[in-house]
Amino acid sequence: MPLTLLAQNNQNEYNWFDKQVGIENTGLFSGIEYIEFEKGINGFTKFLYPDNFSTGFISYNGQTYYDVALKYNVYDDKVIVNIGQNSGKKVFEIFAAKIDSFSIDIRKFIQIKNKNLSGEIPALGFSELILDAKNLRLFKKLSKEKLSKIKNKSLFFEYKWNKPKYTLLFNDFIYEVKRKQDFIDIFPQFKTEIRQIEINKNMAKNNPDIEVVTISNKINSLLSNGL
């Protein structure tokens, strides 16, 4: 059986099981009630997407759950689930330490737990997988900053995007990358090829991921060719 059909069958089986027992009776129904005390204004909220729940999957405590209503609180690095089918009565912040990965629409986030060169395991939290290649994986860490505003003697908050940080996973180690030299330090054997890569400035302005993705793809190709 093709892998895509096998994965779809497994997903259907999990969905059927959750429906039969009620997802509120599964292991996902754990955590603490989520209450938003500091709501963002003017569309600048804590979340990946402003306010609505999105359908995705989540791997939690060794079990994968599909078609779950999720929100990703980028500012606090928390995952919120709505098991009450958007009723608002069963909205939980689930335990981050038990989450291996989750998706929001087609965007996949993974909790990185690999060691860096010093042998430490930094608390990176959830990072978006933006390149899943044969020889390496590239992640983007999202974050937001909180700005306070006073209007009509009331305190309000706006949560605005910070510049993302990029992490490369290669040979079970993680590296922070943001420019060509970072890649050259990791792959000195490809110094000439990396320096020859040119990035269109206009494209880079509209898509900040393009440089690190382009370089990572080139390195993956070189590794695959045994160079």
Side-chain angles (χ1 to χ4, degrees), residues 180 197-208 210-211 214:
K180 285 184 179 181
I197 296 173
E198 295 185 2
I199 306 297
N200 183 286
K201 291 184 178 180
N202 289 329
M203 293 179 64
K205 184 177 180 180
N206 295 325
N207 179 7
I210 192 168
E211 182 172 10
T214 300

Side-chain angles (χ1 to χ4, degrees), residues 119-135:
E120 300 173 340
I121 303 179
L124 296 178
F126 301 112
S127 293
E128 183 177 3
L129 178 62
I130 59 175
L131 177 64
D132 191 5
K134 177 183 177 182
N135 301 291

Side-chain angles (χ1 to χ4, degrees), residues 82-222:
N82 189 343
I83 300 179
Q85 298 299 317
N86 294 317
S87 67
K89 298 179 180 179
K90 297 178 180 178
V91 177
F92 286 84
E93 171 197 330
I94 55 179
F95 300 114
K98 295 183 178 182
I99 302 172
D100 291 319
S101 61
F102 65 93
S103 72
I104 299 289
D105 295 333
I106 61 172
R107 302 173 68 173
K108 185 175 182 179
F109 295 82
I110 296 176
Q111 182 153 213
I112 300 177
K113 300 177 182 178
N114 299 80
K115 295 181 180 180
N116 59 19
L117 288 175
S118 64
E120 300 173 340
I121 303 179
L124 296 178
F126 301 112
S127 293
E128 183 177 3
L129 178 62
I130 59 175
L131 177 64
D132 191 5
K134 177 183 177 182
N135 301 291
L136 49 82
R137 306 176 98 189
L138 182 65
F139 296 89
K140 177 168 68 172
K141 178 62 181 173
L142 303 174
S143 65
K144 290 189 174 188
E145 63 175 325
K146 181 171 66 174
L147 304 176
S148 302
K149 293 191 173 185
I150 297 178
K151 184 177 180 181
N152 297 328
K153 298 183 179 180
S154 296
L155 181 63
F156 298 93
F157 302 98
E158 289 185 343
Y159 298 87
K160 295 192 175 181
W161 291 103
N162 292 320
K163 189 175 181 179
K165 294 182 179 180
Y166 300 95
T167 301
L168 187 75
L169 174 61
F170 175 68
N171 281 350
D172 295 326
F173 288 99
I174 55 176
Y175 307 84
E176 185 175 343
V177 291
K178 55 184 176 181
R179 57 177 68 91
K180 285 184 179 181
Q181 187 58 49
D182 296 325
F183 289 93
I184 292 172
D185 291 341
I186 304 167
F187 304 97
Q189 69 273 35
F190 302 141
K191 177 172 63 175
T192 300
E193 291 86 349
I194 293 172
R195 285 181 173 171
Q196 290 175 345
I197 296 173
E198 295 185 2
I199 306 297
N200 183 286
K201 291 184 178 180
N202 289 329
M203 293 179 64
K205 184 177 180 180
N206 295 325
N207 179 7
D209 302 344
I210 192 168
E211 182 172 10
V212 290
V213 170
T214 300
I215 297 173
S216 297
N217 270 318
K218 179 63 176 180
I219 292 171
N220 179 67
S221 178
L222 293 169

